[in-house]
Each structure stands twice: as structure tokens, then as C-alpha cells.
Amino acid sequence: MFRRIRPGVAKLFRLGNRHPEASVADMDAEIQHHLAEREAQLVARGFSADDARAMARKKFGDLEAAQRTLHASAQRRDHALASREFWRTVRSDFAFALRSLRRAPSFLAVAVASLAIGIGANAAMFSVVDAILLKPLDYPAAGQLVRVWDQGVAPPGVYDIMRESATSYTGLAGYDGATLVSVLAGGEATRLLAARVTVNLMDVLRVPPLVGRVFRADDANLASAPTALLSYAMWRDRFGLDASVVGQSVLLDGISHTVIGVMPQAFGLPEADAALWTPVRAARGSVEYWWTTYLRVVGRLSPDATPEAATAEVALLLDRARGAFPYRMPDSWGTGATVSPLQETMVGGSRPALLLMMGAVALVLLVACVNVATLYMGRTATRARELAVRSALGAGRARIVRLLVAECTVVAALGTLAGLVLAAVALRVVVAVVPVGTPRVAEIALDARVAGFGVVLMLVSIVLFGLVPSLRAAQPDLSRAIKGDGASGRPTGMRSASLLVVGQLAMVVVLVIGAGLLTRSVWQLRQVALGFRTEQVVTTELPLPSFASDTAARAPLYFAEVLSRVEAIPGVQRAAFASTAPFGDGIALSAMEVEAHPTPAGAAAPTPSVVSVSDGYFAALDIPLLQGRLPAASDRAGTERIGVVDEAAARTLWPDQDPIGQRIRYVWDQGWMTVVGVVGNVKRDDLTAEPVASLYVPMTQSEPRAMRLLLRVDERNAPSAATIQYALRSVDRTVPVGAIETLRDLVLGSTAQSDFAALLLAAFAGVALLLGGVGVYGVMSANVNRRTRELGVRMALGAQSSQVLGLVLRQGMVLVCTGVLVGLCVALAGARLIERFLFGVSPFDALIFASVPVVLAATAVAATMVPALRASRVPLIIAIRGE
């Protein structure tokens, strides 16, 4: 490629004074001269002309070979001379550029700062996009990995059917979502994330262990001892990288597991990062085999398989699996299943927001480049006389362009270096505030790919802000520039600079409107009625305690003792348990059978959210009772099973009946429960969604499970987290206690993605607004400098300072109003692009569209005021001397 562009570069820099063709012609002429002299000597000695010519050529030797050798030598010499001349010229141009920029420190500082902000923001955002969207997964041949049934999960029974019958894959494997377990290793109990995997998962992913071995088929056998694989982080933190860890035991939820190996440091599962992994061990026909365990299925496509063929095959397999369930599944189950690249299923949800942010930072870079271009046009305008003198003394257009482009390159290089430093700092902030659950956050780094992207941005910025002004400045009006007449009339290039500022302000308007819409959307989310209390409510997770025997009988006694201890803490007003807290633990949906409305054959059973609660749960969260009664202490095991539904469940399950006294049961359980009360709806895990139909059952009538403790505390006498944790540990020190959080923080965590996008876009808009103000200031300041004589003469002829001030302000406001109008039109045309990110706000929100011009006008007035005040105080004598 360099060979193709080098002629153009050579032409621009006029490399060397001697052309290779001229040198070759001179050598050929010299050879012919020597041959002619030899022929003349031979003719003088009596030989004929033909014989003399033949003898001279024979004496000389192989003429063509000599010519080729001499031609090659001449070309090498000329190329060497040209290269030396090229680098000498480049050094000379850049040395001049550095000297010239040192004489303009203000211009250099503003230009470098503008580019640093634009390039730094783009490099930081590219680092995030590259790590999450572009880099391939850290598995061998990751492009072959796919998610099978990408919108669903499969119980082990369905997975076995797919694995045994599928032909489109070299291997199928599965894993469940990581869950917190109690881990006793190294003498200390703690809560860590653990994921269950099929025994062939590591083979399908082609990731060998760092120490020990991976799972084998016999590890899934219920008769064999439980085993576990450790992550590198757990091996380092708990076992000090001790290679003898293989064969040691760890207690997971009270059950001993033998460590069989350690996975590499970079290993992790998509959507299920964990500290350790255990094999799926589900007996055929058990509840776990068909219902309560769900696997994400991944596969490695065969070389001759296509995603389309694999999708067709999985549809047939799921249709076969529907009939294998021990109870009838709805006809719609498993339909619409597709096979998608594994990376796409991981990061697809983050793509729209990241691309929106990337578009925003691209606008910031454009604003920065326009800002520098405006300043640069003003700088070249003030150098018009210098450039005209150079042209008059013989400098060609290419020579002037070279000098100006060298300056642009120095500015762009300094801006890029400063931008990469700024990006490194910004990345630390971004990683710190990125929402929990964002995939591949650990891979975000300022690496060689990001540095290469920064170099590309530098080259782009040179073209955007330097090339056009340089080409314009290379054609000066010699007579006007040398005589200095340009100052009195409309300055050359000011119209172009004004157009650039209009475009810059239009882009600023688009960014500020986008940031305003997202910010208002986040505010609207904060106003959503939750249906429960968050103020002065703290919460923590408590795992199911594991006892040597009879866990089912002793666990209720443990939880009862916990409630007794925490209720005795000064400042605790109410205490309660729930299997899932709003916005804390997801939604546990269960297929139910309604006695009054049996599910028709082939239809989907209703699946309300089922929450196991203690009798004080509704009082602790201020969830109102609308009808009937709440669970009481008398609702225990052995008594009539009862449940409480919310309004959404009552409306869905018994649309035309009184829900009180109705009966409902799990589809896999023959025991009915009676509805005794109706409570208000609550938001479960999404502020933007309608409340999920919910069924609340007493924890004393449910299977023991991990619970979440909720405490309503006194605002003026709230106990510390350490006090609460001490009370919990005093009940059973083998049960690890999680962090103490506020329920409000859990709710706010659900809007983290929106908050993050709004925060970044607001930051980009603020930067763009600042750069836009600098652009307006640069144009107006340059305009005032160029009109110094005119303004001085106006005041000498009787113009008041206020009139001159108004004149300059009006000119600035014309630019601002034009830019705002163009920006509003662009924002209106593209408003639908941001609609999917908004909640409770129209993309054409009148308040935002009306307030942005006011904000921008205020910024522009502030930017214009300084040069306007300077213009209103120009004495005539200074104006004349200045020329």
C-alpha cells in the first residue's frame, strides 16, 4: 500500500531535485559517448565503420548487462538521496511547527485540550465496546460455540434428550446460573457463588484445568462422593496457590465436596461467573430432573452444520421433549427456539446502550474537531500576511500545505497522547460505576487495540480539523494580505468558521437533548409507586443452615431464633423473612393449578410468583391488606395450608370470583392451599413492568430454603451493620452472614443501566456544551481581532460602547440561533432512535426541547461577552496602530 501512496507523498513534499529518469539518461549518454570515441579511434586506424562498431562493442563487453547494472545503481543512489531529502524536509517542517506553536501557547493549550477530551472519551468508550462486544470469547475456537434455545433454559431431562439425539454439534453441555452457597474452607465460613455444570462442559469449551482434572462421567453419579472444581481466585485466596489442594475437602451448604482441580485464571462461564463449580447430579424422574433445576445449554457446532440447521433440529428435539415430561406441558412450550452465537446471547442486551454511547462520543469528537478547526482557521487568518510573503518568495502551494499539516500533526499527536492518558483515568471511573451484571467487565482495559484506535482517531482528526483549513490557507490573496486590507473587510475564512460553529452547535443541541431526555426518564423511574416501603428497611441473605441430621425439622427453629435475636436489638421495629425480596433475588415463578379454573389440555398453566414469607413480612414492608387476613403464627406445618394473593393474581386467576376461599396448588403437588387474603400489588424486579401476579405462602408450611431477612429500623436509633451481624452470628457461627444492604439500594440497583447511560450521556453533553462555548468564543474573538480598525473607527465617529457591544452580541446570537434551529431539526428527526431507552417521557418532550435553547443561549452569551466587552473598549489610536 505504501508503494501506491508514496508517489503522492513524494509529489507533495517534492522529494529531491534530480529525477531517476534524468540520471539513467545521463548514464546512457555517457556509455554511448565512450563507444563513439572508441569507434572513431578504430576508424582512424583503418577499420571500416561496421568493423569498428563491432570491435568497440566487443571490447566493452555485455552492453545490456552493464546498462542494467548502472541503471540499478543509479536508482538506488537516487532513492537514497530522495529518502534523505524526505526525512530532512520532514524534520525541518516539524521543527518549524514546534517553534510556531510555542509562540501561540493559548491556541496550543485549547486545541490539545479539545482533542484530548474528544479522543480520550472515544478511546475509553471504544475500550468498553471492544471488551464487551468485539473481542471473541476467551475459549478456543469460540466462534463455534452457540447457545441452544437462546431464550430458554432446559431441565436436565430435556438436556439429556437434546444431548443424546442432536447431530449438529460435536458436543452439548449445560450449566445453571450461579447461586450463593455457604462455603467452609480454610477455617472460615463465607458466602460464595457456585454454579452447577454438566460433567462434559469443560470438554465442550475446550478449557483444560490448571491443576488436577476436570469432571468425569462418574462425578454425576449420585452414588459417588461429591466433587468440586475451584476457580483460580478461590485457590489463591483460600488455599494460597497450594498445589496439594487436590484431594482436600470443602463444605458447601454443609455437604463435604472433594476438590478435584483448579481452573485457569481467565476461565469463567457466560452469565454465571462463580468461585467454584459442582456437577449436576439429578436422578432420572426426580423433581430436580424435570422441574427445579434449569440449565443453559451450550454447544459446539459441527464443521458442516449451520445455525439454521441447528435451529430446525432443536425445534424437533424440544417438541419430542414436551411429551417426555411426567405431566402435560402446554403446546406452546419450546416453540420459537433458536440457536445463536454464544457471544451474541451474552452481550446482545448491552449492545443498544453501548452503541448509543459510542455514537454520543463520536459526536463529542466531531464537536472537538470542529472546535479545533475553527480555532485553526482563525489562526491561519491571522497568519495570512506571513503565508502570502512565503508564497510571494516562491513557496508553492504544496510547501505551504506541508508546513500547516505538520502543525496539525503535532497538535493531533499531543492531543492523542493526552487523550490516551485521560482515557486510562476515565476507564477506572467507568469500571467502578458500570452496573453490576454487565458482561465481561473484567476484560475492559487500555491495551494495544485501544492505542491503535487512538492513532486512527488522530489521523481522522487531522483530516477533519487540519486539511481543509490548510488547503484554504495555501491560496492567499497576495495583494490584500501583504497590504493588510484583509483586516478592514470581511476576513477570509470567517464565513467557513461561522458555518463550522453552526454545525458544532447543532451537534451540541442533539447531545444535550438526548442527555435531557434520559435524565428525565431516570427521574420518572424514581417516581414509580413500588407498593411497599423502602425507607428505614435493611436486609441481608441467610443461607439454609446445614445440620448433621434432620435439617428440615431444625431449620425452622434456627430461623425462629434469628427473629427473636434481631427483634431484641435496640432500634429494630419489625423483623421478617422472605424467600425473595423485591428487587433483590429475582422472581421465582411456579406453575399452578387453580381448582375453580382447571388448565385446558395443551394450554399453559398460570405461573404466579411464589414467595415464602414469615407472618411479619407485610407489616415490615407496609404492604396493605385489602381483603381477608394475613398469615399468622398459627399457620404452621400440619395445619391447613393457606396462601395470600395480590390484586394482580386475584384478577388473573379468579377474574369474576371472590378469591377468598379459593384453592390452588403446584402442578406437581397434590396438596391444595386455600386463599385467605388479598394484598396490594408490588413491583418485583422491574420498575417499568406491570406488577407480577404473586402468591405468598407461610414459610412454616414450605420446604426449608435460604431466606432474606428484612428489618425495619428506627430512623433516629438505627443499629449498625456490625450489631446486626453480631446478633446473627451468635445464633450459629457456621452460617455465614452476607452484607447488610438497604432495600432502597436494591431498588436503585434495578435502574443502574439507565442511570449509567444517563450519567455518561450527561457527561458527554456537558463536555460538548463546554467545547461549543469555546468554539463560539474563538470565532467571535477572531472576528473582533480582525475588525479592530472598523470598531475603533465606529467609536471615533460617535458610536457608544453599548452599541458596539450589542453589535458583537447580535452577531454571536445569529450563529447560536442558527445552530440551535438546525440542531432542533436534527433532534426531532432522530428522536425515535432514543425512544427505546425512555420511560414515561416522550422522545419529543416539550420541556426538554424548550429548555435546551435557553441553556445553549446562556452559554453562548457568556462565551460572546468577553470579546464583545473587549470590542466595546477599543480606542481609535490602538486600532490604527494595531494595523
Side-chain angles (χ1 to χ4, degrees):
M1 184 174 71
F2 179 74
R3 289 193 184 99
R4 291 197 296 268
I5 66 173
R6 183 167 181 172
V9 176
K11 183 178 179 181
L12 176 63
F13 282 84
R14 299 189 182 278
L15 303 179
N17 295 318
R18 182 167 182 164
H19 297 286
E21 293 80 2
S23 300
V24 170
D26 290 346
M27 289 185 176
D28 288 342
E30 188 173 351
I31 291 173
Q32 294 301 326
H33 174 71
H34 286 295
L35 288 174
E37 285 189 345
R38 183 61 176 165
E39 289 176 16
Q41 292 175 359
L42 292 174
V43 169
R45 292 169 56 184
F47 291 95
S48 67
D50 292 338
D51 291 340
R53 185 178 301 105
M55 294 176 64
R57 286 181 174 273
K58 183 177 180 181
K59 181 69 174 177
F60 188 88
D62 190 342
L63 177 61
E64 293 182 357
Q67 286 179 324
R68 287 195 300 269
T69 301
L70 290 174
H71 292 177
S73 175
Q75 288 178 348
R76 286 195 298 271
R77 184 181 69 249
D78 287 335
H79 286 161
L81 290 173
S83 295
R84 286 197 294 270
E85 177 66 15
F86 172 81
W87 292 115
R88 186 194 67 78
T89 306
V90 168
R91 287 194 298 271
S92 173
D93 290 343
F94 278 98
F96 176 80
L98 290 172
R99 290 195 302 271
S100 177
L101 290 172
R102 278 202 302 266
R103 292 193 294 269
S106 299
F107 164 79
L108 181 62
V110 174
V112 170
S114 299
L115 288 178
I117 292 172
I119 292 176
N122 275 268
M125 202 64 224
F126 174 79
S127 179
V128 175
V129 172
D130 183 50
I132 295 177
L133 298 182
L134 304 181
K135 283 184 180 178
L137 298 179
D138 197 15
Y139 304 118
Q144 300 173 354
L145 293 174
V146 294
R147 266 290 301 274
V148 183
W149 193 11
D150 57 352
Q151 297 299 320
V153 290
V158 174
Y159 161 73
D160 281 344
I161 291 174
M162 289 193 291
R163 178 178 55 83
E164 293 164 0
S165 304
T167 60
S168 299
Y169 313 92
T170 58
L172 278 177
Y175 59 92
D176 69 0
T179 57
L180 285 169
V181 298
S182 301
V183 179
L184 184 59
E188 182 182 351
T190 188
R191 295 277 277 166
L192 294 175
L193 286 171
R196 292 190 299 172
V197 303
T198 59
V199 291
N200 65 334
L201 178 66
M202 310 309 173
D203 296 328
V204 171
L205 296 180
R206 298 181 184 175
V207 181
L210 184 65
V211 177
R213 67 173 178 87
V214 295
F215 296 119
R216 297 191 297 245
D218 58 341
D219 289 313
N221 192 336
L222 290 172
S224 62
T227 55
L229 272 171
L230 303 184
S231 67
Y232 182 90
M234 184 174 178
W235 182 44
R236 178 194 61 212
D237 298 340
R238 293 306 183 96
F239 297 95
L241 304 180
D242 183 4
S244 65
V245 67
V246 176
Q248 296 187 34
S249 297
V250 295
L251 289 178
L252 306 182
D253 285 339
I255 300 174
S256 178
H257 287 65
T258 302
V259 177
I260 61 171
V262 178
M263 296 305 293
Q265 185 173 7
F267 176 76
L269 293 181
E271 308 164 289
D273 198 14
L276 67 162
W277 301 272
T278 60
V280 174
R281 292 154 59 97
R284 287 183 177 268
S286 65
V287 174
E288 292 83 4
Y289 191 71
W290 284 110
W291 196 257
T292 59
T293 298
Y294 301 98
L295 301 176
R296 297 175 173 91
V297 181
V298 298
R300 188 174 286 277
L301 283 177
S302 301
D304 57 344
T306 63
E308 293 75 18
T311 295
E313 184 181 49
V314 76
L316 294 175
L317 293 176
L318 290 176
D319 183 63
R320 182 189 308 172
R322 186 186 307 116
F325 275 84
Y327 38 82
R328 182 174 178 84
M329 295 295 290
D331 293 343
S332 60
W333 180 86
T335 58
T338 57
V339 174
S340 302
L342 182 58
Q343 182 166 351
E344 180 62 27
T345 62
M346 283 179 58
V347 304
S350 302
R351 185 184 302 277
L354 289 177
L355 294 182
L356 174 67
M357 294 300 103
M358 201 65 204
V361 294
L363 280 181
V364 172
L365 180 61
L366 281 176
V367 170
C369 288
V370 170
N371 194 47
V372 178
T374 304
L375 296 174
Y376 200 72
M377 292 181 75
R379 173 171 166 76
T380 54
T382 60
R383 298 173 63 189
R385 182 175 297 175
E386 170 203 338
L387 299 178
V389 170
R390 287 179 177 274
S391 181
L393 293 177
R397 186 184 184 193
R399 177 62 178 165
I400 295 176
V401 170
R402 259 172 43 199
L403 291 175
L404 298 179
V405 169
E407 278 193 15
C408 298
T409 304
V410 171
V411 172
L414 292 176
T416 301
L417 290 176
L420 291 177
V421 173
L422 188 63
V425 176
L427 276 182
R428 295 186 178 182
V429 178
V430 170
V431 172
V433 301
V434 72
V436 176
T438 302
R440 311 183 73 184
V441 174
E443 300 179 38
I444 298 175
L446 192 68
D447 53 16
R449 289 162 63 96
V450 180
F453 181 73
V455 173
V456 172
L457 291 182
M458 179 187 75
L459 298 176
V460 171
S461 65
I462 291 174
V463 173
L464 289 178
F465 81 81
L467 192 57
V468 174
S470 298
L471 292 174
R472 288 183 60 90
Q475 292 180 310
D477 186 334
L478 297 183
S479 61
R480 293 183 64 195
I482 294 176
K483 290 188 294 183
D485 293 341
S488 58
R490 180 170 180 82
T492 303
M494 286 307 299
R495 177 174 299 171
S496 299
S498 298
L499 291 176
L500 286 176
V501 168
V502 168
Q504 182 184 43
L505 293 176
M507 289 184 283
V508 173
V509 168
V510 173
L511 274 175
V512 175
I513 286 178
L517 290 173
L518 275 183
T519 302
R520 188 158 189 218
S521 177
V522 169
W523 184 84
Q524 288 291 110
L525 280 173
R526 296 285 191 272
Q527 312 310 310
V528 171
L530 301 174
F532 61 90
R533 175 184 183 139
T534 60
E535 294 78 11
Q536 284 77 59
V537 177
V538 298
T539 180
T540 188
E541 292 179 293
L542 282 180
L544 180 67
S546 299
F547 302 102
S549 62
D550 201 16
T551 295
R554 297 182 60 184
L557 300 177
Y558 166 78
F559 288 121
E561 181 63 20
V562 168
L563 284 179
S564 176
R565 294 287 181 92
V566 296
E567 285 174 342
I569 298 175
V572 173
Q573 297 176 339
R574 294 186 182 275
F577 278 117
S579 56
T580 58
F583 297 91
D585 309 286
I587 300 176
L589 300 178
S590 295
M592 309 295 291
E593 184 72 26
V594 179
E595 185 180 37
H597 306 287
T599 303
T607 54
S609 169
V610 179
V611 187
S612 179
V613 299
S614 66
D615 52 77
Y617 173 77
F618 300 98
L621 295 189
D622 275 348
I623 300 175
L625 174 66
L626 305 179
Q627 188 178 353
R629 71 174 180 88
L630 299 174
S634 58
D635 297 314
R636 298 187 175 277
T639 64
E640 181 188 17
R641 296 175 63 183
I642 63 101
V644 173
V645 297
D646 64 2
E647 288 181 282
R651 184 172 56 253
T652 302
L653 303 178
W654 301 278
D656 302 317
Q657 296 174 286
D658 184 357
I660 302 299
Q662 300 290 343
R663 297 206 302 173
I664 189 172
R665 67 175 175 85
Y666 300 106
V667 295
W668 61 82
D669 188 0
Q670 296 303 311
W672 292 95
M673 62 184 75
T674 303
V675 176
V676 299
V678 180
V679 296
N681 292 331
V682 301
K683 296 282 188 178
R684 301 300 307 177
D685 69 342
D686 187 351
L687 290 174
T688 64
E690 292 297 319
V692 177
S694 299
L695 169 67
Y696 301 92
V697 298
M699 63 179 291
T700 50
Q701 293 183 341
S702 306
E703 290 293 325
R705 67 189 73 186
M707 303 296 287
R708 181 174 282 275
L709 178 65
L710 298 128
L711 304 176
R712 188 200 291 185
V713 298
D714 186 354
E715 181 179 5
R716 293 169 296 180
N717 188 31
S720 66
T723 301
I724 297 172
Q725 290 172 331
Y726 176 80
L728 296 175
R729 291 194 181 98
S730 67
V731 179
D732 188 339
R733 293 192 176 276
T734 65
V735 178
V737 179
I740 307 296
E741 306 171 275
T742 67
L743 193 55
R744 179 175 178 79
D745 287 341
L746 293 182
V747 174
L748 293 179
S750 69
T751 64
Q753 292 282 359
S754 300
D755 293 350
F756 181 65
L759 177 65
L760 281 185
L761 198 56
F764 299 151
V767 170
L769 190 61
L770 176 63
L771 292 175
V774 172
V776 173
Y777 169 81
V779 167
M780 297 310 301
S781 181
N783 190 38
V784 168
N785 289 338
R786 298 289 297 179
R787 298 175 65 186
T788 301
R789 175 186 293 178
E790 172 200 341
L791 297 176
V793 170
R794 282 177 179 270
M795 296 188 68
L797 295 176
Q800 300 298 315
S801 297
S802 58
Q803 293 175 311
V804 174
L805 179 65
L807 177 67
V808 177
L809 283 176
R810 281 194 301 274
Q811 185 178 6
M813 292 312 298
V814 167
L815 292 179
V816 173
C817 291
T818 306
V820 168
L821 287 175
V822 173
L824 287 175
C825 293
V826 174
L828 286 170
R832 293 293 183 188
L833 298 176
I834 201 175
E835 187 173 13
R836 63 179 301 176
F837 301 99
L838 304 179
F839 172 78
V841 178
S842 167
F844 307 103
D845 186 77
L847 177 63
I848 299 299
F849 276 79
S851 59
V852 166
V854 175
V855 173
L856 204 60
T859 304
V861 167
T864 309
M865 187 61 71
V866 174
L869 288 174
R870 189 170 71 245
S872 66
R873 299 168 183 170
V874 178
L876 177 60
I877 188 64
I878 294 179
I880 296 175
R881 286 177 178 174
E883 290 298 314

